[in-house]
Amino acid sequence: MGKDSALVDQFVRLSMNSANTFRHTDYLGGANGARIRFSPGKDWKSNEGLDKTLKALEPIKKKVGDGLSWADLIVLAGPAAATRLGAPKDFPFSHD
């Protein structure tokens, strides 16, 4: 995998942390709306350094445009990276 393996790890972390921000108390957070890109989520210690990972996704978002939401791109980055780390190629992805 070489030089990009640290970034691949960070894509998995970004995807998981995005989903982990969901709060049952007020139903805010989670992957929906890509709220990990904004305060207060982006400022949490557990999300430290993920701003660089989000920057790495910007070229993809720019290329695809409105055809792919930031939320879906962040979530999709996780299983895509996981396959690079050895997960099965049919690793499930759902945006529902």
Side-chain angles (χ1 to χ4, degrees), residues 17-55:
N17 281 25
S18 179
N20 282 335
T21 64
F22 180 74
R23 298 185 306 207
H24 291 278
T25 55
D26 57 9
Y27 301 102
L28 292 177
N32 193 20
R35 296 175 66 94
I36 198 167
R37 296 172 52 228
F38 309 106
S39 291
K42 73 177 184 78
D43 305 318
W44 296 342
K45 186 162 181 64
S46 62
N47 295 332
E48 198 170 279
L50 289 178
D51 55 328
K52 295 176 186 119
T53 310
L54 285 163
K55 275 207 168 303

Side-chain angles (χ1 to χ4, degrees), residues 4-87:
D4 68 343
S5 66
L7 187 56
V8 171
D9 292 347
Q10 289 303 305
F11 287 144
V12 173
R13 181 175 163 236
L14 173 66
S15 182
M16 293 300 298
N17 281 25
S18 179
N20 282 335
T21 64
F22 180 74
R23 298 185 306 207
H24 291 278
T25 55
D26 57 9
Y27 301 102
L28 292 177
N32 193 20
R35 296 175 66 94
I36 198 167
R37 296 172 52 228
F38 309 106
S39 291
K42 73 177 184 78
D43 305 318
W44 296 342
K45 186 162 181 64
S46 62
N47 295 332
E48 198 170 279
L50 289 178
D51 55 328
K52 295 176 186 119
T53 310
L54 285 163
K55 275 207 168 303
L57 292 176
E58 284 179 357
I60 297 167
K61 178 64 174 132
K62 186 175 180 179
K63 182 176 182 178
V64 177
D66 292 337
L68 180 65
S69 71
W70 266 108
D72 284 348
L73 178 56
I74 290 168
V75 172
L76 182 57
T83 60
R84 292 284 307 267
L85 295 170

